[in-house]
Amino acid sequence: MSKERRLSRIFAKDGKSVTLALDGYYFSTKTNGIDNTLNQLPALVERGLDCALVTYGMLKNFREVLNSVPVVLRVDSTVSIFDNTVPDTTPVFSVEDALKVAAEGVVCMTFPGAFNEEKTHLMAMQLAQAADCWNVPLIVESLPYGYPVTSDDSNNPAIIAASARAAVELGADVIKTRFTGSAEDRLIVEAAGVPVLALGGPKTGIDGYFRFVHHCMQVGAKGVAVGRNITQDSQPAKVVAGLNAIIHENATAEDAYSLYMAK
């Protein structure tokens, strides 16, 4: 299968994607809502979910529900599961492992500017080489100075943009990274030159989250790769419906919120 065909399963026909991040078990013990959301996946797909980022264990133990959605395998993990700041990462699976479980792609992190920059960049480069060999898309979650926002620099659009471009130069086909909510977020998309998915988002309520996603789309993002704003919501399918409206139907944040609130 060609890489383009696999990418066409991660992204919809319009080149955009509502991607659900279910890979939190590799990075934290704060995983409330993930299993409940897994069991609702068919309903989320009906409301517009395009793809899910998953773990190897999920693909073994939740095969029936995961058959309803294209998946990307997370191939790195934290080195300290009880430290929610994700201080460092290590490779745990390969491109070949992703093919064994019929994943459409692989995803890993890089931390430009952090103490482990060299190691994470080497991991991404080696994955890119293997992914090109097997025609498998590589998503790189490139986060300057580490996983959390700890300084102005780690949340500076120009620095995030430089981190995104570094990941592309290492071989990334898609970038997953943070957006700041400012107009300068456009720099991130321009620097990457490949599809960019916005991760996370503000914890300001679902209406605030929809406004953030609308902003990301306005500055050129190709969608989202989001976890807790879906999995920890009491109505994950309705969150997906709102995201689908913004990302695929060019709806406003207010339209998305109306969908979420509808009975």
Side-chain angles (χ1 to χ4, degrees):
M1 185 184 296
S2 70
K3 185 178 287 192
E4 289 73 21
R5 184 172 179 182
R6 288 191 169 103
L7 280 167
S8 74
R9 290 177 56 76
I10 297 170
F11 293 87
K13 291 182 179 179
D14 60 3
K16 301 174 184 178
S17 183
V18 180
T19 292
L20 171 61
L22 294 168
D23 50 350
Y25 282 105
Y26 281 172
F27 299 103
S28 173
T29 57
K30 295 183 177 181
T31 54
N32 293 343
I34 290 180
D35 286 356
N36 179 55
T37 306
L38 266 166
N39 288 314
Q40 297 183 56
L41 271 179
L44 271 61
V45 172
E46 288 182 6
R47 303 301 291 271
L49 184 67
D50 296 303
C51 181
L53 309 181
V54 299
T55 67
Y56 195 84
M58 286 174 186
L59 285 168
K60 292 179 67 175
N61 298 313
F62 291 87
R63 172 57 66 185
E64 186 173 347
V65 292
L66 285 169
N67 280 339
S68 65
V69 63
V71 297
V72 171
L73 179 67
R74 169 67 71 170
V75 295
D76 59 342
S77 173
T78 185
V79 300
S80 182
I81 194 67
F82 297 113
D83 184 343
N84 294 308
T85 68
V86 189
D88 197 4
T89 57
T90 187
V92 288
F93 292 102
S94 66
V95 173
E96 290 87 346
D97 291 322
L99 291 170
K100 290 175 187 175
V101 291
E104 303 297 340
V106 293
V107 56
C108 75
M109 290 186 184
T110 61
F111 296 142
F115 75 94
N116 55 355
E117 175 177 358
E118 179 181 4
K119 185 180 79 171
T120 60
H121 282 182
L122 180 62
M123 179 180 11
M125 179 273 290
Q126 291 173 337
L127 277 169
Q129 290 180 330
D132 284 347
C133 180
W134 289 102
N135 291 324
V136 171
L138 169 63
I139 300 174
V140 174
E141 185 171 350
S142 190
L143 304 174
Y145 300 105
Y147 183 78
V149 174
T150 56
S151 67
D152 290 343
D153 282 347
S154 60
N155 202 41
N156 181 323
I159 290 176
I160 299 169
S163 298
R165 183 54 179 260
V168 172
E169 299 304 332
L170 291 168
D173 299 296
V174 179
I175 294 296
K176 174 188 175 189
T177 195
R178 63 175 67 103
F179 281 59
T180 71
S182 74
E184 290 186 338
D185 284 341
R186 188 173 299 277
L187 296 173
I188 302 167
V189 175
E190 292 173 353
V194 301
V196 180
L197 298 175
L199 67 80
K203 295 175 176 60
T204 55
I206 194 62
D207 53 340
Y209 178 58
F210 285 150
R211 288 194 294 272
F212 171 77
V213 173
H214 185 264
H215 157 78
C216 293
M217 300 306 295
Q218 292 298 109
V219 298
K222 293 299 183 182
V224 296
V226 57
R228 283 179 288 185
N229 274 309
I230 294 176
T231 62
Q232 293 184 2
D233 192 275
S234 61
Q235 303 180 97
K238 287 192 172 184
V239 179
V240 169
L243 292 173
N244 177 70
I246 295 170
I247 291 168
H248 292 303
E249 300 171 8
N250 299 316
T252 65
E254 291 73 23
D255 292 335
Y257 186 64
S258 295
L259 279 174
Y260 176 85
M261 294 300 294
K263 294 182 179 180

